[in-house]
């Protein structure tokens, strides 16, 4: 035995003995340098049967505790394996173990026991959720120390000599009884599978039994755990039900983890048979309500099917009628135009998430070669209904955005569209921003979503720039975030033959292609001087015009018959309107003037 006053390992001074058991003695020691007290657990070789087995258990205990950190567990700070003794230096836990409390005062107040058990659930759950899980296996009052903290105290779990790491399904069965008779689960005696988290739930249930009754589990004369209310009828039925479930012989019938047990303890007064009876009544009532709800639901579903069938038929009829009026290519304000628009809007109101009517409405609006402010406001008022169909909504935003960008009719007259595009570009930005951030723009059966996204980004960049600023005489290229060169790069991105073919090459209408050509020619005509000043050469602009002429020649060979809107754009670009030449001619003439001025 260690002597009072002796110093261990040059730093732990033994103050006095504070406890002893069959195999070990525990001393209070002081680290004089740190002025801190510790508990020193000693196991001597002499007088200890099977010392090596005991030593291995102590090593297992220290190895487990050294890797753990929990407020309800002591910390190991040192292990000294001397020639004739084995010493473990750990936190000194000031308090009294629960076995002594039972010996001194008998059964403990059940509310205290519930509070202590909830704390023990937390620490066991911590152990069980380690990798690999740690199974404690020796829960009993003697291994639980109560520290005088709070109203009911704080419990500390000691003695990990029988703990083991769980090996999992398929591992060998436990063949040695490691634990304390009366508290140990049936599987700890071997022959019923490996111990796991549910084994600790059994031992905690047996510990609760001892604490609330004052009687050890399986004590004579009947060697069984009787229902706790046979000892004390004032104990809650819910606590009796919890302990019975914890200590079932078949671990499948116990709580399956400590979280379940903790929840039951937190709701102990709801666990009684009376409560269970009430719950059964509520369950029967719920089932009855569910059956009635199902019956009414089926009836409502039948009505809904009929309603959906009617709305689908009505939607198809309105769409068909609108298309019939639209086929005559009416202009805005004409009777057929108004009738077609009315049908499409009614169809949208019936099925807001169906994209067909939106596309038909947009087709109607571009029949005359552009979109007016009134038409744009009409689209704004209905397109939110399409948001629930996200893919269709983002595709629609692309179509609306490019139409506003290229072909917006000003309020002062459609004939001024070419020379008043700033308003259309400004109105297009919100729609283009949706499209440029979308990855859902592919047309069915075609991989052109990336090209659409790229075009939307270029149009958005142009629409977001202040072109009047970048072309002004005072513009400084060194301080501009968006320069003339950026602007020209975005314009020519639109004219990429690959991009145009992927987006518009199979439609037959080529409306978008011609819109792109018209826009580039207009910019050359309007801003050739500013483009030259910003670094775009006359040769580059002439090459772009040549490329457009080649593109138009190819388009007319592939599509000798254009739709009405595309034909109007073609005439405007190539032949003009009778009072002025086409945009190709106008752009070349302007570059000749710029070249002469240079």
């Amino acid at each position: 035995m260690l002597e009072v006053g002796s110093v261990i390992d040059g730093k732990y001074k033994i103050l006095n003995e504070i406890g002893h058991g069959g195999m070990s003695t525990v001393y209070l020691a002081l680290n004089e340098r740190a002025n801190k007290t510790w508990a020193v657990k000693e196991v001597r070789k002499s007088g200890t049967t099977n010392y090596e087995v005991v030593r291995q258990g102590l090593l297992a205990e220290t190895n487990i505790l050294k890797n753990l950190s929990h407020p309800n567990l002591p910390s190991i700070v040192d292990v000294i394996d001397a020639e004739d003794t084995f010493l473990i230096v750990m936190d000194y836990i000031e308090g009294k173990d629960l076995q002594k409390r039972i010996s001194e005062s008998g059964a403990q107040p059940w509310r205290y026991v519930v509070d202590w058990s909830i704390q023990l659930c937390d620490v066991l759950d911590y152990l069980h959720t380690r990798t690999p899980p740690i199974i404690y296996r020796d829960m009993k009052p003697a291994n639980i120390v109560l520290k005088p903290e709070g109203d009911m105290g704080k419990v500390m779990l000691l003695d990990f000599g029988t703990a083991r790491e769980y090996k999992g399904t398929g591992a060998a069965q436990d063949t040695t009884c490691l634990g304390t008779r009366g508290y140990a689960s049936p599987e700890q005696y071997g022959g019923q599978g490996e111990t796991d988290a549910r084994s600790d739930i059994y031992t905690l249930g047996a510990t609760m039994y001892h604490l609330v009754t004052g009687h050890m589990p399986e004590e004579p004369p009947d060697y069984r755990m009787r229902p706790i209310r046979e000892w004390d009828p004032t104990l809650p039925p819910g606590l009796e039900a919890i302990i019975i479930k914890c200590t079932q012989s078949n671990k499948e019938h116990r709580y399956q983890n400590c979280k379940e047990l903790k929840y039951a303890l937190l709701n102990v007064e709801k666990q009684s048979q009376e409560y269970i009876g009430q719950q059964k009544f509520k369950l029967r009532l719920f089932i009855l309500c569910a059956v009635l709800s199902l019956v009414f639901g089926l009836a409502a579903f039948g009505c809904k099917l009929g309603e959906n069938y009617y709305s689908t038929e009505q939607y198809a009829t309105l769409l068909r009628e609108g298309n019939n009026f639209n086929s005559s290519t009416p202009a805005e304000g004409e009777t057929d135009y108004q009738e077609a628009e009315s049908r499409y809007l009614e169809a949208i109101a019936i099925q807001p998430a169906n994209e067909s009517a939106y596309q038909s409405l947009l087709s109607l609006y571009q029949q005359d070669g552009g979109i007016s402010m009134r038409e744009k406001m009409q689209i704004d008022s209905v397109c939110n209904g399409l948001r629930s169909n996200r893919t269709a909504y983002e595709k629609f935003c692309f179509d609306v955005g490019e139409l506003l960008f290229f072909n917006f009719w000003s309020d002062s007259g459609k004939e001024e569209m070419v020379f008043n595009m700033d308003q259309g570009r400004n109105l297009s930005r919100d729609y283009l921003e949706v499209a440029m951030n979308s990855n859902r723009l592919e047309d069915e059966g075609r991989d052109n979503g990336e090209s659409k996204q790229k075009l939307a980004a270029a149009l958005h960049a142009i629409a977001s720039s202040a072109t009047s600023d970048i072309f002004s005489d005072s513009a400084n290229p060194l301080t501009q975030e968006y320069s003339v060169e950026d602007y020209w790069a975005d314009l020519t991105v639109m004219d990429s033959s690959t991009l145009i073919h992927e987006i518009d090459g199979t439609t037959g209408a080529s409306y978008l292609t011609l819109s792109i050509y018209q826009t580039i020619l207009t910019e050359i005509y309007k801003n050739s001087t500013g483009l030259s000043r910003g670094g775009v050469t006359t040769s580059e602009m002439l090459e772009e015009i040549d490329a457009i002429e080649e593109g138009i020649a190819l388009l007319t060979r592939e599509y000798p018959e254009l739709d009405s809107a595309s034909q109007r754009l073609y005439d405007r670009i190539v032949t003009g309107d009778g009072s002025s030449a086409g945009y190709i001619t106008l752009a070349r003439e302007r570059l000749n003037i710029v070249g002469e001025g240079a």
Side-chain angles (χ1 to χ4, degrees):
M1 294 180 61
L2 299 177
E3 294 183 3
V4 174
S6 62
V7 178
I8 306 301
D9 202 31
K11 53 186 173 182
Y12 303 110
K13 183 178 181 179
I14 302 301
L15 300 180
N16 59 278
E17 179 184 326
I18 56 176
H20 64 273
M23 297 186 302
S24 61
T25 305
V26 182
Y27 301 90
L28 179 65
L30 174 68
N31 185 327
E32 293 181 321
R33 294 178 186 175
N35 193 29
K36 179 173 174 59
T37 56
W38 300 96
V40 178
K41 182 176 182 178
E42 178 198 32
V43 178
R44 296 180 62 83
K45 294 181 179 179
S46 60
T48 302
T49 305
N50 296 326
Y51 172 76
E52 189 57 33
V53 175
V54 174
R55 178 178 174 276
Q56 290 301 321
L58 291 170
L59 285 172
E61 175 180 7
T62 56
N63 287 334
I64 288 173
L65 284 173
K66 280 192 295 186
N67 296 318
L68 299 178
S69 177
H70 191 277
N72 296 93
L73 295 176
S75 297
I76 296 286
V77 295
D78 213 345
V79 177
I80 304 168
D81 192 359
E83 184 176 340
D84 60 347
T85 189
F86 189 90
L87 302 175
I88 303 173
V89 183
M90 65 181 73
D91 285 336
Y92 169 59
I93 309 299
E94 184 178 0
K96 184 181 296 185
D97 70 61
L98 295 183
Q99 180 63 53
K100 290 181 180 177
R101 283 182 64 99
I102 296 172
S103 300
E104 293 173 1
S105 57
Q108 302 299 298
W110 71 266
R111 293 187 184 278
Y112 285 31
V113 174
V114 168
D115 183 76
W116 300 336
S117 300
I118 289 170
Q119 295 181 54
L120 292 169
C121 280
D122 286 335
V123 70
L124 287 176
D125 185 63
Y126 170 78
L127 295 173
H128 297 163
T129 53
R130 298 309 87 200
T131 304
I134 296 168
I135 312 303
Y136 180 68
R137 303 199 300 178
D138 199 21
M139 182 74 68
K140 59 185 177 182
N143 286 344
I144 305 166
V145 171
L146 183 66
K147 296 178 68 175
E149 294 182 15
D151 294 338
M152 300 179 186
K154 176 182 177 180
V155 294
M156 302 291 293
L157 187 59
L158 309 180
D159 198 346
F160 275 66
T162 62
R164 71 192 291 269
E165 293 180 343
Y166 178 60
K167 296 179 175 60
T169 303
Q173 296 177 335
D174 292 339
T175 57
T176 304
C177 177
L178 292 174
T180 303
R181 182 171 292 279
Y183 302 94
S185 63
E187 57 269 22
Q188 287 177 253
Y189 293 94
Q192 296 191 40
E194 186 186 11
T195 51
D196 59 21
R198 294 167 294 182
S199 307
D200 282 344
I201 288 173
Y202 184 100
T203 60
L204 180 52
T207 300
M208 285 191 282
Y209 176 91
H210 191 175
L211 290 171
V212 295
T213 65
H215 296 274
M216 288 185 62
E218 300 186 18
E219 69 176 0
D222 44 14
Y223 296 97
R224 69 181 181 91
M225 280 188 276
R226 296 158 57 188
I228 60 173
R229 282 161 53 83
E230 291 186 16
W231 296 107
D232 182 358
T234 65
L235 291 172
L239 183 56
E240 181 176 270
I242 290 171
I243 292 174
I244 289 173
K245 184 169 182 176
C246 286
T247 55
Q248 291 291 302
S249 296
N250 186 339
K251 57 185 178 182
E252 298 294 333
H253 298 160
R254 301 172 203 159
Y255 295 101
Q256 297 301 292
N257 57 64
C258 286
K259 289 185 176 66
E260 288 185 14
L261 175 54
K262 180 180 177 180
Y263 178 82
L265 290 166
L266 287 169
N267 297 275
V268 62
E269 295 182 19
K270 295 182 179 180
Q271 305 299 315
S272 65
Q273 288 299 320
E274 291 86 345
Y275 172 77
I276 294 171
Q278 293 172 4
Q279 292 302 102
K280 287 181 178 178
F281 172 76
K282 291 180 181 178
L283 178 61
R284 288 193 293 270
L285 185 62
F286 171 79
I287 292 172
L288 177 61
C289 292
V291 171
L292 291 175
S293 297
L294 179 62
V295 171
F296 291 129
L298 289 173
F301 180 70
C303 294
K304 188 66 176 177
L305 282 178
E307 179 184 344
N308 288 342
Y309 176 78
Y310 172 74
S311 66
T312 301
E313 286 293 304
Q314 189 179 19
Y315 183 92
T317 299
L318 289 168
L319 204 59
R320 184 169 56 253
E321 291 177 355
N323 291 340
N324 289 337
F325 284 113
N326 192 5
S327 63
S328 61
T329 62
E332 186 174 356
E334 295 179 359
T335 301
D336 283 356
Y337 170 96
Q338 294 172 344
E339 292 292 342
E341 182 184 50
S342 174
R343 300 300 195 281
Y344 294 146
L345 293 175
E346 284 186 55
I348 289 171
I350 292 173
Q351 292 187 8
N354 191 325
E355 62 185 303
S356 299
Y358 293 92
Q359 292 297 337
S360 296
L361 184 68
L362 199 60
S363 171
L364 173 71
Y365 287 167
Q366 71 180 39
Q367 286 283 9
D368 53 4
I371 183 171
S372 70
M373 176 60 80
R374 187 198 72 80
E375 291 170 334
K376 187 265 180 187
M377 293 176 65
Q378 186 66 72
I379 289 172
D380 288 345
S381 69
V382 298
C383 73
N384 279 337
L386 191 58
R387 284 179 181 269
S388 60
N389 184 347
R390 194 67 194 177
T391 298
Y393 173 72
E394 292 175 6
K395 288 182 179 180
F396 186 67
C397 284
F398 173 82
D399 294 337
V400 175
E402 56 92 358
L403 183 60
L404 286 168
F405 183 96
F406 290 119
N407 296 293
F408 176 73
W409 297 119
S410 69
D411 289 335
S412 57
K414 296 182 180 181
E415 67 278 0
E416 298 180 15
M417 178 192 69
V418 175
F419 302 102
N420 188 18
M421 294 187 297
D422 288 343
Q423 187 179 14
R425 291 181 178 183
N426 184 55
L427 294 172
S428 73
R429 284 186 298 177
D430 289 343
Y431 287 99
L432 291 171
E433 184 173 2
V434 173
M436 66 184 281
N437 293 314
S438 171
N439 57 2
R440 302 179 172 92
L441 300 180
E442 290 88 357
D443 292 323
E444 186 175 354
R446 301 183 61 200
D447 186 20
N448 63 352
E450 187 175 344
S451 294
K452 283 188 172 184
Q453 195 176 19
K454 186 176 181 180
L455 176 60
L459 299 183
H460 186 269
I462 294 172
S464 301
S465 68
T467 53
S468 58
D469 291 340
I470 66 174
F471 291 131
S472 68
D473 294 338
S474 59
N476 183 356
L478 298 178
T479 61
Q480 287 176 314
E481 292 184 5
Y482 191 76
S483 66
V484 171
E485 290 183 349
D486 295 329
Y487 185 66
W488 180 252
D490 283 326
L491 281 175
T492 53
V493 159
M494 297 189 299
D495 189 26
S496 163
S497 59
T498 301
L499 182 145
I500 289 177
H501 176 75
E502 288 184 353
I503 297 176
D504 201 34
T506 61
T507 63
S510 298
Y511 185 77
L512 176 59
T513 303
L514 290 167
S515 296
I516 290 173
Y517 292 161
Q518 173 185 270
T519 298
I520 296 173
L521 291 167
T522 301
E523 288 302 316
I524 292 174
Y525 177 79
K526 288 174 55 183
N527 296 310
S528 54
T529 302
L531 288 168
S532 296
R533 189 186 301 119
V536 182
T537 67
T538 301
S539 295
E540 287 177 312
M541 288 185 272
L542 286 171
E543 287 175 4
E544 184 62 29
I545 295 174
D546 291 341
I548 289 173
E549 283 189 306
E550 290 178 8
I552 289 177
L554 177 63
L555 183 148
T556 54
R557 285 198 299 271
E558 290 186 355
Y559 310 112
E561 293 186 8
L562 299 176
D563 64 86
S564 58
S566 297
Q567 186 65 50
R568 272 191 286 268
L569 281 175
Y570 176 85
D571 293 342
R572 196 178 296 135
I573 293 169
V574 178
T575 61
D577 59 3
S579 60
S580 63
Y583 294 157
I584 292 177
T585 302
L586 292 173
R588 286 192 184 280
E589 291 175 353
R590 178 57 56 90
L591 288 178
N592 289 334
I593 295 172
V594 172
E596 292 171 3

